Amino acid sequence: MMTAKVRLAEGATKTLDAMELENLKAGLRGALLMPGDDGYDQARTVWNAMIDRHPALVVRCAGVNDIRQAVNFARTHGLLLAVKGGGHNIAGNAVCDGGMLIDLSRMRSVQIDPAQRVAHVEPGATLGDFDTEAQAFGLATPVGVNSTTGIAGLTLGGGFGWFSRKQGMTIDNLLAVDVVTADGNFVRASAKENSDLFWALRGGSGNFGIVTRFEFQLHPLGPNVLSGLVVYSQKEAASALKKYREYARQLGEETTVWTVLRKAPPLPFLPSNVHGTDIIAFALFHAGDPKAGEKAIEPVRHFGTPLGEHVGVQPYCNWQKALDPLLTPGARNYWKSHNFTDLSDGLIDVTIKYAGNVPSPHSEIFFGMIGGATMRPAPDSAAYSHRNTLFVCNVHGRWETPAEDQKGIEWARGFYRESAAYATGGVYVNFLTDDESDRIKAAYGPNYDKLTAIKRKYDPQNLFRTNQNISPA
Ligand SMILES: Cc1cc2nc3c(=O)[nH]c(=O)nc-3n(C[C@H](O)[C@H](O)[C@H](O)COP(=O)(O)OP(=O)(O)OC[C@H]3O[C@@H](n4cnc5c(N)ncnc54)[C@H](O)[C@@H]3O)c2cc1C
């Protein structure tokens, strides 16, 4: 093996000699990859094509031993370190330039204990892996809406999806984790063991160690659920959003309806003359009896004059993949996000203004409705604090080429600036982009100081810094 020039956490570089690299490799069950090796480019590639980083070393882990070896090596040599689960993080926090990448994406086992209704999940599993195994027993826990997202990063930031109004955030269903900490120790964290670490991991992102196994509470769901889309012209968006606002205020917890404003994709249930025009779509999901669901979602059909609808009873796993075609990896993405407790008239005006002026046919403004069970825990019950949020808004700027970057970024920033007055001031940590270090405190909210103290205890040297970082200083 050759030598490797590596970047250190504090910015300098140093050269690792062949013996040091051979020793690392010899201790692994997985692979040590360097630029040019088979699998290197795959390991360093993440969902957002705007991120193009080249680590000097990739440890492609096969198990907990590999993770510990890699953590010990990185700490001993002072390396800049990144950790990759599903690689979906918009800021590109799964990968670094010049340092070491710990790649967990091959550790994808999901084991279900149907009697206890508990899932044991490895950190490279995707939401699709998780849902498929849990649904084999008619079980689920709330996770996100795109099946290729990693369970690890999603959970560590909080996690929400269609099932959240009924069963809470993903972290509200986390029972325990196994963690490799910065000192290379392997610890279990739960409400009873290392409870400070468990508190911090539920919303504190990747700051506190590498989770090697997640243990989730599961709940009966489906396997068939009422779900689908109702689509209107954006010309009706103002009145539709006002009706939606009233509807959201009295909606039961089994139902959720999200809304998105964008150009119509070529969906087969829409007339072809609607394709490519400005629409507002309502995506609905009912977590209970489909008959009761029909009643609950009926008002959505009367927010205006529908251009088309595709609503029916379908397997939950299919609905969990319904948005995948719009969210494929490899495009350039720039996001801006706010949390809202309501949709005020001013916010509706700004939304319509920007939705009518998207920088590309793939860009969109969406409001994910949470509330319900996500609001019940106290804001200081876990690191995730945004318990007052009813709508998580995300402006998805998305396009194909670098030439479109400036226009798309300015559009997303414009919406963000003009809608800020109506927002809570908090933001979901998992929706922060690369250039938003000034919003990290807003993402951790009133829990920031406690997180700093726990960071000092578990990672005083800030080994885990390629994330929305909580400085131990
Ligand atoms: C298309 C798309 C749709 C999305 N939809 C939703 C949604 O519906 N709901 C929602 O809540 N979020 C959603 N998200 C946001 C998602 O939660 C974040 O992007 C999350 O970071 C993805 O996790 P990952 O494992 O894929 O990410 P990665 O990029 O691999 O990692 C994210 C962060 O977590 C750290 N990390 C990863 N694994 C570990 C580990 N085992 N231990 C410690 N740290 C670790 C990484 O170092 C990094 O800092 C979506 C994102 C995308 C791109």
Side-chain angles (χ1 to χ4, degrees), residues 409-458:
I409 290 171
E410 277 171 12
W411 173 77
R413 286 181 180 161
F415 174 85
Y416 164 75
R417 268 195 313 273
E418 290 190 39
S419 56
Y422 313 105
T424 64
V427 60
Y428 181 36
V429 70
N430 276 347
F431 286 170
L432 287 180
T433 48
D434 196 18
D435 58 2
E436 295 192 282
S437 50
D438 57 329
R439 297 184 81 200
I440 290 178
K441 281 199 173 165
Y444 298 120
N447 291 331
Y448 187 81
D449 289 346
K450 184 170 171 184
L451 284 164
T452 304
I454 299 172
K455 177 79 172 175
R456 216 175 284 135
K457 176 175 170 188
Y458 285 96

Side-chain angles (χ1 to χ4, degrees), residues 46-47 82-90 92-94 104 123 127 143-146 148-156 158-161 169-170 201 205-207 209-212 214 258 327 335 396 428 430-431 466-468:
V46 294
W47 181 81
V83 179
K84 182 182 178 190
H88 260 231
N89 191 264
I90 185 73
N93 283 334
L104 307 171
L127 308 189
V143 291
V145 302
N146 172 224
T148 58
T149 307
I151 199 92
L154 177 129
T155 303
L156 294 169
F160 64 89
M169 303 290 293
T170 308
L201 287 166
S205 196
N207 275 285
I210 302 185
V211 176
T212 64
F214 295 84
W258 295 19
L327 299 169
W335 293 358
H396 284 171
Y428 181 36
N430 276 347
F431 286 170
T466 311
N467 44 47
Q468 300 303 347

